[in-house]
Amino acid sequence: MSSKNFYLSSKHSDDAIELPVLNSTIGHNVIDIAKIPQTGCFTLDLGFGATAACESKITFIDGNKGVLLHRGYPIEELAEKSDFLETCFLLINGELPTSSEKENFLRSIQKHRNIDGSTEQLLKGFPRGSHPMAMLCTVVAAMSATYNSNTDITSAEDRMLTIYRLVAKMPILAAMCHRHFIGQPFVATDDRLDYAENFLNMMFGTAGKESTVSPVLAKAMDLIFLLHADHEQNASTSTVRLSGSTGANPYACIASGIAALWGPAHGGANQAVLEMLEEIGDEKHIESFILRAKDKEDSFRLMGFGHRVYKNFDPRARVMKVSCDEVLAELGLENDPLLKIAKRLEQIALDDPYFVEKQLYPNVDFYSGIIMKAIGISPEMFTVIFATGRTIGWIAHWNEMLSSPYRIGRPRQHYTGYGKRSYPA
Ligand code: SDX
C-alpha cells in the first residue's frame, strides 16, 4: 500500500476518513474509496473515465503513449511473433506456452469444434438477411441451454472447459451466421485446417468440396483475431464482468458482451467506418465530412477515430494499417478506392487542429473493415469477427474475476428526482 493516502472529513464524526492509495505495477495507482459514503457522499464518474472497477493482471493500456500490453508483452511483438491461439493461452494462463503446452491447448480447442443440431435449427429459424450479430448473440446465449454439464463456475476445471468450448465454437458459429445471412448452406469444419483457415473455409468454401484457403488471407484473419483479443475494461468486457458477478451462466455472460459490443460507438464502429467511407465516396468530399465531424450541431462522428483511453495512435491501428497494405497488394487491390479515401482522410484529420487538440487518432476499427472487405467479408459480419476475436478477452476477465473473491457489481447513483411525496387523496 502506498504511503500517500488521502484523508477526507467524515459527516458522522470528527475523525478524518483515510482513503488508502493502492500501488499499480505500471500506470495509475488507485484510491480505494470504499469508505467514501461515510462522508455522506458517493462519487460520480459519468462513463467511468476515472474509475477502476476491478483489479486485473491481463492487459494494460497506456493511452498517452499508445502502448498495449497483454500479460506484459507489447501487441506489436505478439502480432509479429505469436498467433491468435498462442495469445489466447497467454491471456488465460499469464505466460506464453511451451511447445508441448501449445500442442495440448490446440488439441483441447480442436476437439470442441462440433456444433449440435439444435443450434443449426435455431439459426435456420432466422429470416434471411437477419443481422449476423442478432444471430450470434442468440446462438451463444442458447449455448447455456445446450451445454448445461460442467458449468460449475466455482470449479477451475469447469471454467477451463467453458473457455475451450467458447474459443473453439465462436468462429464456427460466426461462419454459420454468415452462411445463413447470405442464404448459403453451412460448410462443415475441416480438422486438417488451422483456426483461421477453417473459419475462412466455413465462410467462403463450398459444402462438400475440398478447401482452398489462401495462406496470406488466413494469416491476415489470424492477425485480425489477435488484434481484437482483449482491451482492458472496455464497455463489453465490463458488461461481461458485471453479468458474471451475479453468478450467471458463462454463455449468457458472453452473449451480454456481444450485445454491448454491437453499438457503433464500440465494436460496431468497423461496420460504420466502411459505411462512412462508402458515403464519402470520393476524396473530394472528405473536407465536408471533416466539417460535419467538427460541427457540434451535427451528430456525425468520424467513425474509427477517437478513443476513451488512447490519446495517441491505437497501436493496433498501426499494425492493421501495415496488414491492410500487404493484403490489398496480395489481392492486387492496392488502388482500392476506399483505402485511398481512408488514407487521405487519416492524413487530413491528423493535420486538423480540431482532431489534434482533442487527441483524436485512428483506432482499431479504422482499417480493420478495409481488410475484411478485401478478404470478401460483408460489413454486417465485421462486428461478428470482432466478437470472435474478443471472446477470449471476455472469458479471460470472467475467469480472472471468478478465480478470487469478488462481489456482485452494484453501482450507486446521483439522484435528482422527486423527494418523498404522498399519493393524492
Ligand atoms: C472501440 O474501450 C475500448 O477499449 C474500445 C475498443 C476495444 O478494443 O474494446 O478499443 C474498441 O470501441 C474503439 C472505438 C470505436 N468507436 C468509434 O470509432 C466511434 C467514433 N468515436 C467516438 O464515438 C468516440 O471517440 C469514442 C466513443 C470512441 C470515445 O468517446 P469518449 O471517450 O466518450 O469521448 P467523447 O465523446 O467525450 O469525445 C471527446 C471530444 C468531444 O468533443 P467535446 O464535447 O469535448 O467538444 O472529442 C469529440 C467529441 O465530440 N470526438 C469526436 C470523435 N470522437 C470524439 N469528434 C468527431 N469524431 C469523432 N470520432
Side-chain angles (χ1 to χ4, degrees), residues 196-213:
E197 288 169 340
N198 185 56
F199 170 68
L200 289 175
N201 187 51
M202 292 188 72
M203 286 277 288
F204 304 116
T206 306
K209 279 188 91 177
E210 280 279 297
S211 63
T212 46
V213 178

mmCIF file with all atom_site columns, all heavy atoms in Angstrom, residues 196-213:
data_model
loop_
_atom_site.group_PDB
_atom_site.id
_atom_site.type_symbol
_atom_site.label_atom_id
_atom_site.label_alt_id
_atom_site.label_comp_id
_atom_site.label_asym_id
_atom_site.label_entity_id
_atom_site.label_seq_id
_atom_site.pdbx_PDB_ins_code
_atom_site.Cartn_x
_atom_site.Cartn_y
_atom_site.Cartn_z
_atom_site.occupancy
_atom_site.B_iso_or_equiv
_atom_site.pdbx_formal_charge
_atom_site.auth_seq_id
_atom_site.auth_comp_id
_atom_site.auth_asym_id
_atom_site.auth_atom_id
_atom_site.pdbx_PDB_model_num
ATOM 1   N N   . ALA A 1 196 ? -7.825  -20.159 -38.282 1.00 0.00 ? 196 ALA A N   1
ATOM 2   C CA  . ALA A 1 196 ? -8.253  -19.106 -39.222 1.00 0.00 ? 196 ALA A CA  1
ATOM 3   C C   . ALA A 1 196 ? -8.609  -19.710 -40.576 1.00 0.00 ? 196 ALA A C   1
ATOM 4   O O   . ALA A 1 196 ? -9.578  -19.305 -41.220 1.00 0.00 ? 196 ALA A O   1
ATOM 5   C CB  . ALA A 1 196 ? -7.150  -18.054 -39.378 1.00 0.00 ? 196 ALA A CB  1
ATOM 6   N N   . GLU A 1 197 ? -7.847  -20.718 -41.013 1.00 0.00 ? 197 GLU A N   1
ATOM 7   C CA  . GLU A 1 197 ? -8.134  -21.366 -42.309 1.00 0.00 ? 197 GLU A CA  1
ATOM 8   C C   . GLU A 1 197 ? -9.522  -21.999 -42.283 1.00 0.00 ? 197 GLU A C   1
ATOM 9   O O   . GLU A 1 197 ? -10.325 -21.850 -43.192 1.00 0.00 ? 197 GLU A O   1
ATOM 10  C CB  . GLU A 1 197 ? -7.092  -22.455 -42.594 1.00 0.00 ? 197 GLU A CB  1
ATOM 11  C CG  . GLU A 1 197 ? -5.714  -21.976 -42.955 1.00 0.00 ? 197 GLU A CG  1
ATOM 12  C CD  . GLU A 1 197 ? -4.698  -23.128 -42.959 1.00 0.00 ? 197 GLU A CD  1
ATOM 13  O OE1 . GLU A 1 197 ? -4.964  -24.185 -42.332 1.00 0.00 ? 197 GLU A OE1 1
ATOM 14  O OE2 . GLU A 1 197 ? -3.628  -22.948 -43.576 1.00 0.00 ? 197 GLU A OE2 1
ATOM 15  N N   . ASN A 1 198 ? -9.805  -22.709 -41.171 1.00 0.00 ? 198 ASN A N   1
ATOM 16  C CA  . ASN A 1 198 ? -11.103 -23.381 -41.079 1.00 0.00 ? 198 ASN A CA  1
ATOM 17  C C   . ASN A 1 198 ? -12.230 -22.363 -41.073 1.00 0.00 ? 198 ASN A C   1
ATOM 18  O O   . ASN A 1 198 ? -13.268 -22.549 -41.718 1.00 0.00 ? 198 ASN A O   1
ATOM 19  C CB  . ASN A 1 198 ? -11.165 -24.234 -39.802 1.00 0.00 ? 198 ASN A CB  1
ATOM 20  C CG  . ASN A 1 198 ? -12.440 -25.046 -39.728 1.00 0.00 ? 198 ASN A CG  1
ATOM 21  O OD1 . ASN A 1 198 ? -12.733 -25.808 -40.649 1.00 0.00 ? 198 ASN A OD1 1
ATOM 22  N ND2 . ASN A 1 198 ? -13.207 -24.850 -38.680 1.00 0.00 ? 198 ASN A ND2 1
ATOM 23  N N   . PHE A 1 199 ? -11.996 -21.211 -40.377 1.00 0.00 ? 199 PHE A N   1
ATOM 24  C CA  . PHE A 1 199 ? -13.015 -20.161 -40.351 1.00 0.00 ? 199 PHE A CA  1
ATOM 25  C C   . PHE A 1 199 ? -13.291 -19.650 -41.776 1.00 0.00 ? 199 PHE A C   1
ATOM 26  O O   . PHE A 1 199 ? -14.429 -19.573 -42.223 1.00 0.00 ? 199 PHE A O   1
ATOM 27  C CB  . PHE A 1 199 ? -12.561 -19.006 -39.455 1.00 0.00 ? 199 PHE A CB  1
ATOM 28  C CG  . PHE A 1 199 ? -13.429 -17.788 -39.561 1.00 0.00 ? 199 PHE A CG  1
ATOM 29  C CD1 . PHE A 1 199 ? -14.742 -17.803 -39.089 1.00 0.00 ? 199 PHE A CD1 1
ATOM 30  C CD2 . PHE A 1 199 ? -12.960 -16.638 -40.172 1.00 0.00 ? 199 PHE A CD2 1
ATOM 31  C CE1 . PHE A 1 199 ? -15.560 -16.696 -39.205 1.00 0.00 ? 199 PHE A CE1 1
ATOM 32  C CE2 . PHE A 1 199 ? -13.772 -15.518 -40.300 1.00 0.00 ? 199 PHE A CE2 1
ATOM 33  C CZ  . PHE A 1 199 ? -15.069 -15.550 -39.817 1.00 0.00 ? 199 PHE A CZ  1
ATOM 34  N N   . LEU A 1 200 ? -12.214 -19.338 -42.501 1.00 0.00 ? 200 LEU A N   1
ATOM 35  C CA  . LEU A 1 200 ? -12.395 -18.793 -43.867 1.00 0.00 ? 200 LEU A CA  1
ATOM 36  C C   . LEU A 1 200 ? -13.036 -19.828 -44.780 1.00 0.00 ? 200 LEU A C   1
ATOM 37  O O   . LEU A 1 200 ? -13.866 -19.503 -45.630 1.00 0.00 ? 200 LEU A O   1
ATOM 38  C CB  . LEU A 1 200 ? -11.051 -18.318 -44.430 1.00 0.00 ? 200 LEU A CB  1
ATOM 39  C CG  . LEU A 1 200 ? -10.480 -17.051 -43.794 1.00 0.00 ? 200 LEU A CG  1
ATOM 40  C CD1 . LEU A 1 200 ? -9.087  -16.747 -44.340 1.00 0.00 ? 200 LEU A CD1 1
ATOM 41  C CD2 . LEU A 1 200 ? -11.412 -15.856 -44.019 1.00 0.00 ? 200 LEU A CD2 1
ATOM 42  N N   . ASN A 1 201 ? -12.673 -21.107 -44.586 1.00 0.00 ? 201 ASN A N   1
ATOM 43  C CA  . ASN A 1 201 ? -13.277 -22.145 -45.425 1.00 0.00 ? 201 ASN A CA  1
ATOM 44  C C   . ASN A 1 201 ? -14.776 -22.284 -45.135 1.00 0.00 ? 201 ASN A C   1
ATOM 45  O O   . ASN A 1 201 ? -15.591 -22.461 -46.060 1.00 0.00 ? 201 ASN A O   1
ATOM 46  C CB  . ASN A 1 201 ? -12.584 -23.492 -45.188 1.00 0.00 ? 201 ASN A CB  1
ATOM 47  C CG  . ASN A 1 201 ? -13.088 -24.546 -46.167 1.00 0.00 ? 201 ASN A CG  1
ATOM 48  O OD1 . ASN A 1 201 ? -13.114 -24.297 -47.384 1.00 0.00 ? 201 ASN A OD1 1
ATOM 49  N ND2 . ASN A 1 201 ? -13.543 -25.670 -45.650 1.00 0.00 ? 201 ASN A ND2 1
ATOM 50  N N   . MET A 1 202 ? -15.132 -22.158 -43.849 1.00 0.00 ? 202 MET A N   1
ATOM 51  C CA  . MET A 1 202 ? -16.559 -22.261 -43.494 1.00 0.00 ? 202 MET A CA  1
ATOM 52  C C   . MET A 1 202 ? -17.333 -21.027 -43.949 1.00 0.00 ? 202 MET A C   1
ATOM 53  O O   . MET A 1 202 ? -18.533 -21.080 -44.185 1.00 0.00 ? 202 MET A O   1
ATOM 54  C CB  . MET A 1 202 ? -16.707 -22.460 -41.991 1.00 0.00 ? 202 MET A CB  1
ATOM 55  C CG  . MET A 1 202 ? -16.185 -23.799 -41.500 1.00 0.00 ? 202 MET A CG  1
ATOM 56  S SD  . MET A 1 202 ? -16.566 -24.102 -39.777 1.00 0.00 ? 202 MET A SD  1
ATOM 57  C CE  . MET A 1 202 ? -18.335 -24.417 -39.883 1.00 0.00 ? 202 MET A CE  1
ATOM 58  N N   . MET A 1 203 ? -16.591 -19.912 -44.125 1.00 0.00 ? 203 MET A N   1
ATOM 59  C CA  . MET A 1 203 ? -17.241 -18.685 -44.602 1.00 0.00 ? 203 MET A CA  1
ATOM 60  C C   . MET A 1 203 ? -17.446 -18.739 -46.122 1.00 0.00 ? 203 MET A C   1
ATOM 61  O O   . MET A 1 203 ? -18.515 -18.432 -46.634 1.00 0.00 ? 203 MET A O   1
ATOM 62  C CB  . MET A 1 203 ? -16.345 -17.480 -44.294 1.00 0.00 ? 203 MET A CB  1
ATOM 63  C CG  . MET A 1 203 ? -16.292 -17.041 -42.860 1.00 0.00 ? 203 MET A CG  1
ATOM 64  S SD  . MET A 1 203 ? -17.675 -15.973 -42.431 1.00 0.00 ? 203 MET A SD  1
ATOM 65  C CE  . MET A 1 203 ? -17.228 -14.487 -43.310 1.00 0.00 ? 203 MET A CE  1
ATOM 66  N N   . PHE A 1 204 ? -16.390 -19.141 -46.840 1.00 0.00 ? 204 PHE A N   1
ATOM 67  C CA  . PHE A 1 204 ? -16.385 -18.971 -48.300 1.00 0.00 ? 204 PHE A CA  1
ATOM 68  C C   . PHE A 1 204 ? -16.266 -20.275 -49.083 1.00 0.00 ? 204 PHE A C   1
ATOM 69  O O   . PHE A 1 204 ? -16.280 -20.251 -50.320 1.00 0.00 ? 204 PHE A O   1
ATOM 70  C CB  . PHE A 1 204 ? -15.229 -18.046 -48.710 1.00 0.00 ? 204 PHE A CB  1
ATOM 71  C CG  . PHE A 1 204 ? -15.265 -16.709 -48.036 1.00 0.00 ? 204 PHE A CG  1
ATOM 72  C CD1 . PHE A 1 204 ? -14.252 -16.328 -47.156 1.00 0.00 ? 204 PHE A CD1 1
ATOM 73  C CD2 . PHE A 1 204 ? -16.317 -15.840 -48.237 1.00 0.00 ? 204 PHE A CD2 1
ATOM 74  C CE1 . PHE A 1 204 ? -14.298 -15.093 -46.522 1.00 0.00 ? 204 PHE A CE1 1
ATOM 75  C CE2 . PHE A 1 204 ? -16.374 -14.610 -47.601 1.00 0.00 ? 204 PHE A CE2 1
ATOM 76  C CZ  . PHE A 1 204 ? -15.358 -14.236 -46.741 1.00 0.00 ? 204 PHE A CZ  1
ATOM 77  N N   . GLY A 1 205 ? -16.131 -21.413 -48.364 1.00 0.00 ? 205 GLY A N   1
ATOM 78  C CA  . GLY A 1 205 ? -15.944 -22.685 -49.071 1.00 0.00 ? 205 GLY A CA  1
ATOM 79  C C   . GLY A 1 205 ? -17.237 -23.169 -49.705 1.00 0.00 ? 205 GLY A C   1
ATOM 80  O O   . GLY A 1 205 ? -18.276 -22.497 -49.632 1.00 0.00 ? 205 GLY A O   1
ATOM 81  N N   . THR A 1 206 ? -17.152 -24.353 -50.339 1.00 0.00 ? 206 THR A N   1
ATOM 82  C CA  . THR A 1 206 ? -18.350 -24.961 -50.932 1.00 0.00 ? 206 THR A CA  1
ATOM 83  C C   . THR A 1 206 ? -18.651 -26.236 -50.160 1.00 0.00 ? 206 THR A C   1
ATOM 84  O O   . THR A 1 206 ? -17.747 -27.077 -49.966 1.00 0.00 ? 206 THR A O   1
ATOM 85  C CB  . THR A 1 206 ? -18.073 -25.297 -52.415 1.00 0.00 ? 206 THR A CB  1
ATOM 86  O OG1 . THR A 1 206 ? -17.621 -24.102 -53.055 1.00 0.00 ? 206 THR A OG1 1
ATOM 87  C CG2 . THR A 1 206 ? -19.321 -25.818 -53.112 1.00 0.00 ? 206 THR A CG2 1
ATOM 88  N N   . ALA A 1 207 ? -19.869 -26.345 -49.701 1.00 0.00 ? 207 ALA A N   1
ATOM 89  C CA  . ALA A 1 207 ? -20.256 -27.524 -48.904 1.00 0.00 ? 207 ALA A CA  1
ATOM 90  C C   . ALA A 1 207 ? -19.874 -28.795 -49.656 1.00 0.00 ? 207 ALA A C   1
ATOM 91  O O   . ALA A 1 207 ? -20.144 -28.930 -50.852 1.00 0.00 ? 207 ALA A O   1
ATOM 92  C CB  . ALA A 1 207 ? -21.760 -27.478 -48.654 1.00 0.00 ? 207 ALA A CB  1
ATOM 93  N N   . GLY A 1 208 ? -19.159 -29.694 -48.951 1.00 0.00 ? 208 GLY A N   1
ATOM 94  C CA  . GLY A 1 208 ? -18.811 -30.992 -49.530 1.00 0.00 ? 208 GLY A CA  1
ATOM 95  C C   . GLY A 1 208 ? -17.606 -30.980 -50.456 1.00 0.00 ? 208 GLY A C   1
ATOM 96  O O   . GLY A 1 208 ? -17.237 -31.988 -51.030 1.00 0.00 ? 208 GLY A O   1
ATOM 97  N N   . LYS A 1 209 ? -16.972 -29.807 -50.648 1.00 0.00 ? 209 LYS A N   1
ATOM 98  C CA  . LYS A 1 209 ? -15.806 -29.762 -51.555 1.00 0.00 ? 209 LYS A CA  1
ATOM 99  C C   . LYS A 1 209 ? -14.523 -29.491 -50.766 1.00 0.00 ? 209 LYS A C   1
ATOM 100 O O   . LYS A 1 209 ? -14.563 -28.890 -49.689 1.00 0.00 ? 209 LYS A O   1
ATOM 101 C CB  . LYS A 1 209 ? -15.996 -28.665 -52.617 1.00 0.00 ? 209 LYS A CB  1
ATOM 102 C CG  . LYS A 1 209 ? -16.869 -29.096 -53.790 1.00 0.00 ? 209 LYS A CG  1
ATOM 103 C CD  . LYS A 1 209 ? -16.886 -28.063 -54.906 1.00 0.00 ? 209 LYS A CD  1
ATOM 104 C CE  . LYS A 1 209 ? -15.799 -28.319 -55.949 1.00 0.00 ? 209 LYS A CE  1
ATOM 105 N NZ  . LYS A 1 209 ? -15.905 -27.326 -57.067 1.00 0.00 ? 209 LYS A NZ  1
ATOM 106 N N   . GLU A 1 210 ? -13.389 -29.923 -51.325 1.00 0.00 ? 210 GLU A N   1
ATOM 107 C CA  . GLU A 1 210 ? -12.081 -29.678 -50.701 1.00 0.00 ? 210 GLU A CA  1
ATOM 108 C C   . GLU A 1 210 ? -11.869 -28.175 -50.476 1.00 0.00 ? 210 GLU A C   1
ATOM 109 O O   . GLU A 1 210 ? -12.329 -27.356 -51.278 1.00 0.00 ? 210 GLU A O   1
ATOM 110 C CB  . GLU A 1 210 ? -10.971 -30.182 -51.649 1.00 0.00 ? 210 GLU A CB  1
ATOM 111 C CG  . GLU A 1 210 ? -10.739 -31.710 -51.587 1.00 0.00 ? 210 GLU A CG  1
ATOM 112 C CD  . GLU A 1 210 ? -9.864  -32.111 -50.407 1.00 0.00 ? 210 GLU A CD  1
ATOM 113 O OE1 . GLU A 1 210 ? -8.701  -31.717 -50.342 1.00 0.00 ? 210 GLU A OE1 1
ATOM 114 O OE2 . GLU A 1 210 ? -10.421 -32.795 -49.517 1.00 0.00 ? 210 GLU A OE2 1
ATOM 115 N N   . SER A 1 211 ? -11.175 -27.837 -49.420 1.00 0.00 ? 211 SER A N   1
ATOM 116 C CA  . SER A 1 211 ? -10.972 -26.408 -49.135 1.00 0.00 ? 211 SER A CA  1
ATOM 117 C C   . SER A 1 211 ? -9.738  -25.882 -49.871 1.00 0.00 ? 211 SER A C   1
ATOM 118 O O   . SER A 1 211 ? -8.777  -26.601 -50.126 1.00 0.00 ? 211 SER A O   1
ATOM 119 C CB  . SER A 1 211 ? -10.698 -26.268 -47.635 1.00 0.00 ? 211 SER A CB  1
ATOM 120 O OG  . SER A 1 211 ? -9.497  -26.955 -47.362 1.00 0.00 ? 211 SER A OG  1
ATOM 121 N N   . THR A 1 212 ? -9.816  -24.613 -50.290 1.00 0.00 ? 212 THR A N   1
ATOM 122 C CA  . THR A 1 212 ? -8.607  -23.964 -50.841 1.00 0.00 ? 212 THR A CA  1
ATOM 123 C C   . THR A 1 212 ? -8.549  -22.565 -50.221 1.00 0.00 ? 212 THR A C   1
ATOM 124 O O   . THR A 1 212 ? -9.229  -21.649 -50.690 1.00 0.00 ? 212 THR A O   1
ATOM 125 C CB  . THR A 1 212 ? -8.726  -23.791 -52.369 1.00 0.00 ? 212 THR A CB  1
ATOM 126 O OG1 . THR A 1 212 ? -10.046 -23.252 -52.611 1.00 0.00 ? 212 THR A OG1 1
ATOM 127 C CG2 . THR A 1 212 ? -8.545  -25.088 -53.112 1.00 0.00 ? 212 THR A CG2 1
ATOM 128 N N   . VAL A 1 213 ? -7.789  -22.429 -49.112 1.00 0.00 ? 213 VAL A N   1
ATOM 129 C CA  . VAL A 1 213 ? -7.716  -21.148 -48.400 1.00 0.00 ? 213 VAL A CA  1
ATOM 130 C C   . VAL A 1 213 ? -6.347  -20.515 -48.639 1.00 0.00 ? 213 VAL A C   1
ATOM 131 O O   . VAL A 1 213 ? -5.319  -21.166 -48.495 1.00 0.00 ? 213 VAL A O   1
ATOM 132 C CB  . VAL A 1 213 ? -7.928  -21.361 -46.872 1.00 0.00 ? 213 VAL A CB  1
ATOM 133 C CG1 . VAL A 1 213 ? -7.807  -20.035 -46.123 1.00 0.00 ? 213 VAL A CG1 1
ATOM 134 C CG2 . VAL A 1 213 ? -9.293  -21.996 -46.596 1.00 0.00 ? 213 VAL A CG2 1
#
